[in-house]
Amino acid sequence: MKTKCLIIGSGPAGYTAAIYASRANLEPVLIEGYQPGGQLTTTGEVENFPGYPQGVDGNMLMDDLRKQALRFGTNIQNGQVTKVDFSKRPFTLTTDTATYEADTVIISTGATARYLGLDDEQKYMGMGVSACAVCDGFFYRDKIVAVVGGGDSACEEATYLSGICKKVYLIVRKDYLRASKVMQRRVLDNTKITVLFNSNVIGLFGDPVLEGAHIIEYAGTEREQKYDIPINGLFLAIGHDPNSKPFSEYVATDPQGFIIANGQSQATSVPGVFAAGDVCDPTYQQAVVAAASGCKAALDAERFYIENQA
Ligand code: NDP
């Protein structure tokens, strides 16, 4: 299939790029991947997307963005981009089911949840370990769970789980929470949440399902101590890694793998290839910022297409 503009990813960045590219007559094709709607579909209420004074369900927000992209004629395809050739234009991109040729490309593949890297995580995957409270919290009704992390995601997940579970531990490796003040307050004022500061999970136990975690507190100091907590579920909320792998042979990335967008525009190191959203945002990682960068990427792609037509 040949297109003037291929958009990869279906989060706020991808759909917003699609809305703008469609309205600019670029007749975009959007590949929505295996998780249509992206990370917001695993969130509950989104309270800080402008225009929704009462908040909005993450799935509903993404569904509305999808419908808006379709309304202007975006061609939405399913698949996972596994291989690209950005060495010449038109660019070639291969998914598990099709091959595309594109005059311009917008990469908006987002980011994926990080795990601690413990062997035990794999052992209990699907039987106690999760990176999505909204997806899996239901299975831990009236049970004891722990959330790892000290950012907004961790506080949001702990607060959400406190409405379902008997008790929630929040395991924070530093002596403070990195989350915004309002999220911190919700956690610290919640009697069902116990925050374990200066603590890390070093192992898990239980047979065959998770029964507890080995904790180390004040590791490497005189105050170091190890103890166990009884938990039925462990939720990881320790950040995300950018989904830039299929493209990193061609486009420049920073040491963490975030695609580098040049200056004021969303241009990557490859002329005609643009990036938007969390895949190129190590700093803000907000839905509204992703949407804005999707808009910029589409405007950049339109300009590039017009200036480089044969
Ligand atoms: P963050 O990067 O903000 O926080 C990650 C947390 O995990 C930090 O507390 C970090 O600790 C901790 N951490 C990282 N690696 C490990 C590890 N190996 N072991 C233990 N702890 C670890 O990620 P978030 O996903 O929370 O947020 C990403 C962005 O999304 C932020 O900009 C955030 O504001 C935003 N966001 C906004 C929401 C909202 O406004 N409703 C909801 C969710 C996210 P340390 O502090 O020590 O580095």
Side-chain angles (χ1 to χ4, degrees):
M1 188 183 289
K2 174 99 171 58
T3 177
K4 294 176 202 165
C5 180
L6 188 80
I7 299 164
I8 314 161
S10 56
Y15 284 142
T16 305
I19 293 164
Y20 275 79
S22 306
R23 289 168 60 87
N25 287 336
L26 287 184
E27 297 162 358
V29 172
L30 181 146
I31 299 174
E32 65 182 356
Y34 289 141
Q35 191 186 14
Q39 287 179 61
L40 281 192
T41 59
T42 63
T43 311
E45 196 82 343
V46 181
E47 291 182 335
N48 51 9
F49 200 88
Y52 296 93
Q54 306 304 326
V56 58
D57 175 77
N59 276 290
M60 196 178 291
L61 175 61
M62 296 319 300
D63 202 41
D64 281 348
L65 283 171
R66 188 178 195 274
K67 284 184 191 144
Q68 202 172 346
L70 284 169
R71 180 181 156 211
F72 295 110
T74 301
N75 177 352
I76 298 181
Q77 300 279 318
N78 209 262
Q80 191 81 6
V81 173
T82 50
K83 200 163 163 275
V84 302
D85 182 355
F86 289 165
S87 63
K88 56 182 186 310
R89 288 198 301 273
F91 306 117
T92 310
L93 299 95
T94 309
T95 70
D96 34 9
T97 53
T99 298
Y100 299 87
E101 281 194 352
D103 295 313
T104 62
V105 171
I106 296 173
I107 303 168
S108 44
T109 42
T112 297
R114 225 178 258 156
Y115 285 84
L116 290 170
L118 302 171
D119 289 342
D120 293 347
E121 278 173 328
Q122 292 308 318
K123 183 173 164 196
Y124 295 104
M125 199 64 74
M127 285 190 303
V129 172
S130 167
C132 177
V134 175
C135 315
D136 300 328
F138 172 79
F139 300 112
Y140 300 93
R141 186 166 297 280
D142 295 327
K143 303 218 159 135
I144 303 174
V145 298
V147 176
V148 183
D152 280 317
S153 298
C155 289
E156 195 172 79
E157 303 241 317
T159 305
Y160 175 80
L161 289 165
S162 73
I164 300 173
C165 306
K166 187 160 75 181
K167 181 180 175 67
V168 180
Y169 290 101
L170 181 60
I171 302 168
V172 184
R173 67 180 175 182
K174 291 202 175 127
D175 62 357
Y176 62 88
L177 293 166
R178 182 202 283 212
S180 55
K181 290 280 177 269
V182 63
M183 301 297 283
Q184 288 190 30
R185 255 305 33 104
R186 273 182 209 169
V187 163
L188 298 170
D189 290 347
N190 190 322
T191 52
K192 284 172 95 179
I193 302 176
T194 300
V195 186
L196 305 177
F197 286 108
N198 302 297
S199 299
N200 280 292
V201 177
I202 50 172
L204 301 169
F205 60 90
D207 188 19
V209 293
L210 183 63
E211 288 167 21
H214 303 300
I215 304 291
I216 187 164
E217 193 182 13
Y218 292 109
T221 72
E222 281 178 3
R223 296 166 72 184
E224 177 178 309
Q225 58 165 332
K226 292 180 184 166
Y227 61 95
D228 294 345
I229 53 169
I231 54 168
N232 309 107
L234 181 76
F235 290 85
L236 287 319
I238 57 169
H240 291 80
D241 292 318
N243 298 322
S244 58
K245 236 193 191 122
F247 320 104
S248 54
E249 184 187 340
Y250 294 96
V251 299
T253 60
D254 74 5
Q256 292 178 76
F258 289 96
I259 295 176
I260 297 169
N262 295 323
Q264 284 296 305
S265 82
Q266 298 303 127
T268 69
S269 55
V270 178
V273 177
F274 305 88
D278 285 5
V279 74
C280 63
D281 182 358
T283 312
Y284 301 105
Q285 299 169 358
Q286 302 295 304
V288 67
V289 177
S293 69
C295 158
K296 286 169 65 187
L299 296 175
D300 291 339
E302 179 192 8
R303 191 167 306 124
F304 182 90
Y305 179 76
I306 292 168
E307 288 171 359
N308 290 278
Q309 275 188 90

